């Protein structure tokens, strides 16, 4: 008979065998803080225009080379529960503002790092979180007063380009003017008169070869496909769209045809052919010159389409078909029936063009207002073009943000230092222990100019000192000069380095929310994983797990 080993008394005795609990400052809180610090430091080196790229190979062996924190976090399989909270906060930031994911993680990590010092001095977690929430409230009150630039007319190219420039610069230093110009042109060209701007209406087509400077904006849609038939160019095209195959229609019910002679077989196939020709002829009679289908074209159907001079384009993706129907203002039909006048789409030019060794079919709108614009990216490698696509995505999201709220804050660390200075003064007015947390909040804001300086190879302490000196003299728009080899400051309004107000607003909220949630955790209970791998000896807070 096996010897019965009694369980240790206490909370662990209630859980399944193999479950683990960690509680108190040393076991739970410090472990969580250390994991978050490690994670924040890993993405902090990717912050700013001189940020380093990360090479990530994900679980399906796909390789990414990027400094975009959103992509880095999406592809990493992070296990640590506290670090996951930070990632979720940054994902919310991406959903809300489209940019500023790195800001959230770096700031959350900085808040936890400075909170650790207070915890070791004996300040309780509740006092720290209370102080952080007061500091956040004060910050959000001060933030609107720091606005240094506002765009009221977002259909004007030059102001929009200048506003998007800093967003592009943070990922692609050196190409910011060219890319900001492309993004601004694409966004303004599809800006509707009444409804709101839709990010999904800016498409990206990546074609290998040539260089970035050969990239262009095409009003309309571009597909990396060749046409199915012989017709390769149509002007003033009327477009019939189908989600079904363009072929001999299969009957809906199964049936058996008994053929007794060669004449009957000949008449049967001839009947099918004449029926298909009649369908194609009926589509031609509506005025259609292009047929776009979401499924295959039969050989017989292509024969008759070539005979009547119809252009045939096949799209594999139902989403592409839906977007094209929106771009040409047509209706996608589920069956091969002649479209009515209202269901036909219209496009000024549909043609096949060769870029490098890639054939593309272009649906181009020559009019003043297009519904969808496509940015054709050229580049030497797929990884490089993927990175350019992420830059365009951030730029388009910035444009969407400024159509809602056109206010901009000074960039290059200027707004963070100004907030830190005002918070330090605010902390002196508070009577309780939360004043220490407010001061540490101000210290955490200094991490941003320090990160910019560190990534540029400049003495960070010297930069922060110079920024504080400039801001004490009332120069609220003074930020770190990244182009200088020595620690130096510059008036960011002269260099067009602006941060979107809404991006900073939500970034601060999400980072503080995540940091306070992590600080409020004082116990980790890990139930035994059912049939999963055994937990590692390092525990949930070990650095190797983060």
């Amino acid at each position: 008979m096996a010897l019965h080993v009694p369980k240790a008394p206490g909370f662990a005795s209630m859980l399944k065998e193999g479950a683990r609990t960690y509680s108190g400052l040393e076991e739970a809180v410090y472990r969580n803080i250390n994991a978050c610090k490690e994670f924040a430091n890993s993405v902090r080196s990717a912050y700013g225009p001189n940020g380093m790229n990360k090479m990530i190979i994900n679980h399906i062996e796909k390789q990414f080379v990027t400094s975009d924190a959103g992509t880095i976090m999406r592809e990493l399989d992070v296990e640590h529960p506290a670090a996951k909270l930070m990632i979720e906060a940054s994902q919310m930031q991406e959903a809300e503002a489209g940019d500023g994911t790195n800001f959230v993680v770096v700031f959350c990590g900085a808040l936890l790092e400075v909170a650790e010092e207070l915890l070791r001095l004996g300040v309780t977690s509740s006092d720290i979180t209370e102080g952080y929430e007061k500091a956040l409230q004060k910050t959000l009150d001060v933030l609107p007063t720091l606005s240094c630039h506002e765009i009221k007319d977002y259909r004007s190219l030059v102001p929009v380009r200048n506003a998007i420039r800093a967003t592009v610069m943070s990922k692609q230093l050196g190409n910011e003017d060219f890319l900001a110009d492309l993004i601004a042109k694409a966004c303004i060209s599809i800006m509707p008169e009444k409804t709101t701007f839709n990010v999904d209406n800016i498409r990206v087509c990546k074609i290998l070869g040539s260089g970035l400077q050969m990239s262009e904006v095409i009003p309309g849609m571009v597909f990396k496909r060749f046409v199915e038939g012989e017709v390769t160019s149509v002007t003033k095209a009327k477009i019939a769209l189908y989600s079904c195959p363009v072929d001999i229609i299969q009957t809906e019910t199964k049936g058996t045809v008994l053929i007794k002679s060669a004449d009957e077989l000949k008449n049967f196939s001839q009947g099918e052919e004449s029926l298909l020709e009649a369908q194609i002829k009926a589509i031609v009679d509506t005025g259609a010159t292009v047929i776009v289908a979401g499924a295959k074209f039969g050989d017989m159907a292509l024969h008759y389409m070539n005979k009547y001079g119809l252009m045939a384009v096949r799209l594999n993706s139902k989403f592409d078909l839906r977007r094209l129907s929106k771009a040409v203002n047509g209706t996608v039909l589920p069956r091969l029936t002649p479209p009515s006048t209202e269901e036909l789409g219209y496009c000024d030019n549909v043609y096949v063009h060769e870029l490098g060794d890639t054939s593309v079919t272009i649906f181009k709108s020559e009019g003043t207002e297009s519904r969808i614009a496509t940015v054709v990216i050229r580049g030497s490698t797929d990884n490089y073009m993927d990175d350019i696509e992420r830059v365009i995505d951030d730029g388009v999201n910035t444009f969407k943000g400024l159509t809602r709220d056109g206010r901009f804050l000074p960039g290059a660390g200027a707004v963070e230092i100004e907030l830190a200075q005002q918070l330090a003064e605010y902390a002196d007015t508070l009577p309780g222990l939360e004043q220490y947390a407010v001061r540490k909040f101000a210290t955490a804001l200094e991490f941003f100019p320090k990160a910019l300086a560190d990534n540029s190879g400049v003495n960070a302490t010297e930069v922060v000192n110079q920024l504080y000196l400039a801001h004490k003299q009332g120069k609220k728009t003074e930020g770190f000069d990244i182009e200088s080899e020595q620690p130096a400051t510059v008036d960011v309004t002269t260099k067009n380095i602006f941060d979107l107000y809404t991006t900073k607003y939500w970034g601060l909220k999400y980072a503080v929310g995540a940091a306070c949630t992590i600080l409020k955790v004082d116990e980790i209970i890990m139930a035994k994983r059912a049939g999963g791998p055994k937990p590692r000896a390092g525990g949930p807070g070990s650095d190797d797990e983060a």
Side-chain angles (χ1 to χ4, degrees):
M1 194 170 108
L3 182 68
H4 173 68
V5 180
K7 282 189 179 181
F11 187 70
S13 65
M14 302 178 207
L15 300 172
K16 272 186 182 178
E17 200 175 324
R20 294 177 296 168
T21 63
Y22 302 89
S23 60
L25 281 176
E26 287 295 334
E27 278 196 328
V29 182
Y30 291 150
R31 280 185 172 199
N32 281 347
I33 288 174
N34 282 334
C36 293
K37 260 167 51 181
E38 290 293 324
F39 185 71
N41 286 339
S42 69
V43 293
R44 189 174 151 194
S45 59
Y47 185 74
N50 288 330
M52 301 295 281
N53 282 345
K54 309 284 180 207
M55 185 182 283
I56 298 136
I57 294 136
N58 69 2
H59 61 289
I60 55 168
E61 300 291 315
K62 189 176 177 189
Q63 182 178 305
F64 295 83
V65 181
T66 180
S67 63
D68 179 41
T71 307
I72 293 167
M73 285 178 279
R74 207 166 30 249
E75 298 308 326
L76 285 179
D77 197 10
V78 175
E79 277 197 3
H80 196 283
K84 269 187 181 172
L85 278 173
M86 288 169 78
I87 291 172
E88 281 168 13
S90 79
Q91 284 169 346
M92 277 306 301
Q93 169 74 2
E94 187 156 27
E96 187 67 48
D99 195 12
T101 48
N102 207 341
F103 177 89
V104 173
V105 175
V106 171
F107 191 43
C108 184
L111 287 171
L112 292 170
E113 194 172 322
V114 294
E116 188 178 5
E117 297 167 24
L118 291 177
L119 286 167
R120 293 195 188 279
L121 289 171
V123 182
T124 62
S125 296
S126 56
D127 282 327
I128 296 171
T129 53
E130 202 175 311
Y132 279 178
E133 277 157 11
K134 279 190 177 178
L136 174 66
Q137 196 50 55
K138 175 69 176 172
T139 303
L140 298 181
D141 291 343
V142 171
L143 210 57
T145 65
L146 302 181
S147 172
C148 65
H149 181 65
E150 188 168 358
I151 292 181
K152 290 188 170 69
D153 177 17
Y154 40 76
R155 293 177 196 278
S156 179
L157 182 66
V158 176
V160 168
R161 183 180 62 204
N162 291 343
I164 292 174
R165 192 172 169 273
T167 306
V168 177
M169 191 197 279
S170 67
K171 306 274 191 311
Q172 280 292 324
L173 185 62
N175 297 320
E176 64 272 10
D177 290 322
F178 176 72
L179 284 171
D181 201 43
L182 273 188
I183 297 164
K185 277 179 188 167
C187 293
I188 290 166
S189 70
I190 64 148
M191 185 67 205
E193 286 293 335
K194 292 174 185 172
T195 54
T196 55
F197 177 79
N198 185 358
V199 173
D200 201 41
N201 289 347
I202 301 286
R203 309 306 303 160
V204 171
C205 182
K206 296 172 286 191
I207 296 171
L208 202 61
S210 194
L212 180 64
Q213 300 300 318
M214 296 303 289
S215 302
E216 58 180 328
V217 176
I218 291 177
M221 293 201 74
V222 179
F223 301 103
K224 282 204 279 187
R225 297 191 65 81
F226 198 74
V227 290
E228 300 289 312
E230 291 173 3
V231 183
T232 56
S233 177
V234 177
T235 52
K236 295 187 177 174
K238 288 187 177 177
I239 302 164
L241 300 122
Y242 297 99
S243 57
C244 61
V246 179
D247 202 354
I248 294 163
I249 295 173
Q250 302 290 323
T251 53
E252 288 181 11
T253 55
K254 284 186 179 179
T256 306
V257 179
L258 195 62
I259 293 170
K260 292 178 180 175
S261 67
D263 285 339
E264 283 181 9
L265 178 61
K266 193 177 174 184
N267 292 336
F268 178 74
S269 59
Q270 206 168 5
E272 275 192 328
E273 287 166 19
S274 55
L275 183 67
L276 184 60
E277 183 175 7
Q279 286 175 323
I280 301 290
K281 181 80 170 66
I283 293 169
V284 172
D285 291 341
T286 62
T289 49
V290 179
I291 291 183
V292 179
K296 73 182 180 75
F297 284 86
D299 291 339
M300 189 59 69
L302 280 174
H303 165 71
Y304 289 121
M305 288 175 72
N306 291 335
K307 179 181 173 182
Y308 291 110
L310 277 173
M311 187 176 184
V313 182
R314 181 182 173 185
L315 299 179
N316 286 337
S317 164
K318 64 179 180 183
F319 299 107
D320 280 346
L321 192 63
R322 201 179 296 166
R323 288 188 192 103
L324 181 63
S325 73
K326 185 177 180 181
V328 300
N329 198 20
T331 306
V332 180
L333 302 172
R335 293 186 64 200
L336 197 62
T337 52
S340 66
T341 314
E342 292 79 29
E343 288 166 340
L344 277 173
Y346 175 80
C347 188
D348 293 311
N349 223 334
V350 183
Y351 60 98
V352 174
H353 187 52
E354 199 165 290
L355 292 167
D357 62 348
T358 309
S359 293
V360 292
T361 304
I362 299 173
F363 288 79
K364 192 173 185 181
S365 302
E366 305 287 357
T368 50
E369 191 180 302
S370 170
R371 289 162 176 263
I372 288 183
T374 303
V375 182
V376 177
I377 303 172
R378 307 299 309 277
S380 52
T381 66
D382 286 325
N383 267 320
Y384 179 64
M385 291 193 294
D386 287 344
D387 218 29
I388 299 294
E389 184 180 9
R390 286 187 275 271
V391 172
I392 289 171
D393 189 47
D394 285 348
V396 170
N397 276 299
T398 302
F399 180 82
K400 183 183 181 180
L402 73 87
T403 60
R404 293 173 173 177
D405 187 340
R407 288 177 292 174
F408 282 84
L409 301 165
V415 73
E416 285 87 357
I417 290 294
E418 184 60 34
L419 286 170
Q421 185 179 301
Q422 295 203 26
L423 280 174
E425 291 167 8
Y426 171 64
D428 295 336
T429 65
L430 295 171
L433 281 172
E434 59 264 25
Q435 64 175 290
Y436 296 108
V438 175
R439 277 202 190 88
K440 289 295 182 187
F441 192 101
T443 307
L445 284 165
E446 292 173 11
F447 276 58
F448 292 102
K450 279 181 180 173
L452 290 171
D454 285 336
N455 294 343
S456 304
V458 179
N459 186 325
T461 313
E462 184 66 32
V463 166
V464 171
N465 290 343
Q466 287 196 21
L467 284 170
Y468 269 123
L469 182 66
H471 283 256
K472 283 269 194 302
Q473 293 166 357
K475 298 175 183 173
K476 290 185 178 182
T477 57
E478 205 74 12
F480 166 55
D481 185 4
I482 161 175
E483 290 168 359
S484 169
E485 290 181 11
Q486 299 299 320
T489 63
V490 65
D491 184 354
V492 294
T493 52
T494 61
K495 297 267 186 178
N496 291 326
I497 304 170
F498 302 117
D499 288 341
L500 190 63
Y501 171 82
T502 49
T503 304
K504 200 70 81 178
Y505 175 88
W506 287 110
L508 287 162
K509 282 192 99 162
Y510 289 134
V512 175
C516 290
T517 306
I518 292 164
L519 285 171
K520 283 175 183 171
V521 173
D522 77 327
E523 192 163 2
I524 303 166
I525 304 159
M526 295 185 74
K528 188 181 177 186
R529 298 181 194 180
K534 285 185 180 178
R536 281 180 286 190
S542 59
D543 291 345
D544 62 331
E545 200 166 348

